[in-house]
Amino acid sequence: KKNKLIENGAEFYLIKDNFKNKIFLGKTLAVQDFEFYSFRDYSRPQRDLKSGILPPKLAQIMLNLSGFEKSKVLLDPFCGSGTILQEAFLMGYQKIIGTDKSQKAIDDSLLNLEWIKNKKKNQNFNLKIFQSDVSVLSQKINDNFVDSIVTEPYLGPTDLFLDLKSKLKLRKEISFLYINAFKEFKKVLKTGGRVIIVLPIFLKNKNKKFKESDLIYLDVLAEIQSLGFEVLDFLPKEFLSLIKTSERKSILYSRENKNRKILREIFIFQKK
């Protein structure tokens, strides 16, 4: 982008396929608009560092994983400052619902959405944002109304310098929140609807380097499945070898914060 190769030059790749003993020629046709990603992440009116910052690019990936037409109903029940709502709007989703138990989060989302709408003035969509605790979501939204849920719930404190006992206690508290959320998701979500959701992972130690045995996962999968949800693969089975997933069928990602790693995992659940 900075060297203007797309407009004034070209970039080519030679890609070797060892299985078919062939070489493919590739040409770069487009690059991501990293400046706009940064602008709408850091320049928007409200950012809540305490509740965690979901990068716009990751929000886009999660929206794509929902696998539904953009004319369908999308819900983010932990909307925070509205990152997922913002990206859904920019991607052309037409029916968007955002809720959060915090009135400040609702106010922040409304302000940020109004800000981004002014950048895309010719784009129309149906947006509803209102305050609601996830435990009473079905009292505010009709049963079987939502096509997909894409969300990053409360993941625990951003300062994770806790002892192991405190982390295990925190895991139990957060697990309770997630189970109650899925009980409500089951009511408002249509059969076949998906939930794309982020779960926290805690580390037993404070080191940046870790092994699989150092990870503390939320122990919620069995109960979520008993509610009538199944965990989906991220790709068809013939392509699964292209990505690295956990034994839980999740994708793990991390970010650096104050000389330590903060770990997360993404799941695709589908209502049976």
Side-chain angles (χ1 to χ4, degrees), residues 143-156:
D143 289 355
N144 304 307
F145 181 73
V146 175
D147 293 285
S148 61
I149 296 172
V150 180
T151 193
E152 182 188 61
Y154 174 65
L155 301 170

Side-chain angles (χ1 to χ4, degrees), residues 75-91:
L75 167 67
D76 180 0
F78 298 91
C79 67
S81 55
T83 302
I84 289 174
L85 306 181
Q86 167 187 285
E87 296 306 308
F89 164 71
L90 291 172
M91 292 171 68

Side-chain angles (χ1 to χ4, degrees), residues 110-143:
L110 288 170
L111 191 61
N112 287 338
L113 263 294
E114 188 62 31
W115 173 79
I116 202 66
K117 279 169 61 180
N118 289 331
K119 309 298 177 186
K120 299 283 184 178
K121 292 183 179 180
N122 296 326
Q123 188 170 323
N124 297 317
F125 71 116
N126 185 341
L127 171 67
K128 295 181 180 178
I129 304 180
F130 55 89
Q131 183 181 14
S132 176
D133 192 288
V134 72
S135 63
V136 294
L137 196 62
S138 60
Q139 297 178 22
K140 308 289 183 67
I141 299 175
N142 292 335
D143 289 355

Side-chain angles (χ1 to χ4, degrees), residues 12 120 127 168 181 233 243 263:
F12 295 97
K120 299 283 184 178
L127 171 67
L168 293 175
D233 290 319
I243 60 173
L263 293 175

Side-chain angles (χ1 to χ4, degrees), residues 56-121:
K57 190 188 300 185
L58 182 55
Q60 282 189 344
I61 291 171
M62 292 173 65
L63 287 162
N64 284 331
L65 289 171
S66 68
F68 283 90
E69 298 175 7
K70 293 176 181 178
S71 60
K72 302 294 186 179
V73 178
L74 170 74
L75 167 67
D76 180 0
F78 298 91
C79 67
S81 55
T83 302
I84 289 174
L85 306 181
Q86 167 187 285
E87 296 306 308
F89 164 71
L90 291 172
M91 292 171 68
Y93 282 82
Q94 298 298 307
K95 302 172 184 176
I96 306 170
I97 303 174
T99 69
D100 200 288
K101 72 174 184 178
S102 164
Q103 184 58 49
K104 181 182 183 304
I106 299 301
D107 294 339
D108 288 351
S109 288
L110 288 170
L111 191 61
N112 287 338
L113 263 294
E114 188 62 31
W115 173 79
I116 202 66
K117 279 169 61 180
N118 289 331
K119 309 298 177 186
K120 299 283 184 178
K121 292 183 179 180

Side-chain angles (χ1 to χ4, degrees), residues 61-69 72-77 93 145-151 182 185-186 188-197 224 228-236 267-272:
I61 291 171
M62 292 173 65
L63 287 162
N64 284 331
L65 289 171
S66 68
F68 283 90
E69 298 175 7
K72 302 294 186 179
V73 178
L74 170 74
L75 167 67
D76 180 0
Y93 282 82
F145 181 73
V146 175
D147 293 285
S148 61
I149 296 172
V150 180
T151 193
F182 270 87
F185 294 170
K186 183 180 180 181
V188 303
L189 196 63
K190 294 178 181 177
T191 300
R194 291 184 180 182
V195 180
I196 318 300
I197 193 168
I224 290 175
F229 291 89
E230 60 179 330
V231 181
L232 297 186
D233 290 319
F234 283 82
L235 291 174
F267 279 95
I268 305 175
F269 293 98
Q270 186 169 52
K271 180 182 173 181
K272 295 180 181 178

Side-chain angles (χ1 to χ4, degrees), residues 202-243:
F202 303 110
L203 286 170
K204 291 181 181 178
N205 57 57
K206 301 175 184 178
N207 298 327
K208 292 174 67 174
K209 294 183 178 180
F210 58 88
K211 305 185 296 292
E212 179 72 23
S213 58
D214 294 325
L215 305 183
I216 304 173
Y217 294 108
L218 290 194
D219 187 18
V220 296
L221 296 189
E223 194 160 353
I224 290 175
Q225 289 170 319
S226 71
L227 290 172
F229 291 89
E230 60 179 330
V231 181
L232 297 186
D233 290 319
F234 283 82
L235 291 174
K237 295 191 183 301
E238 59 266 32
F239 297 114
L240 273 177
S241 61
L242 297 176
I243 60 173

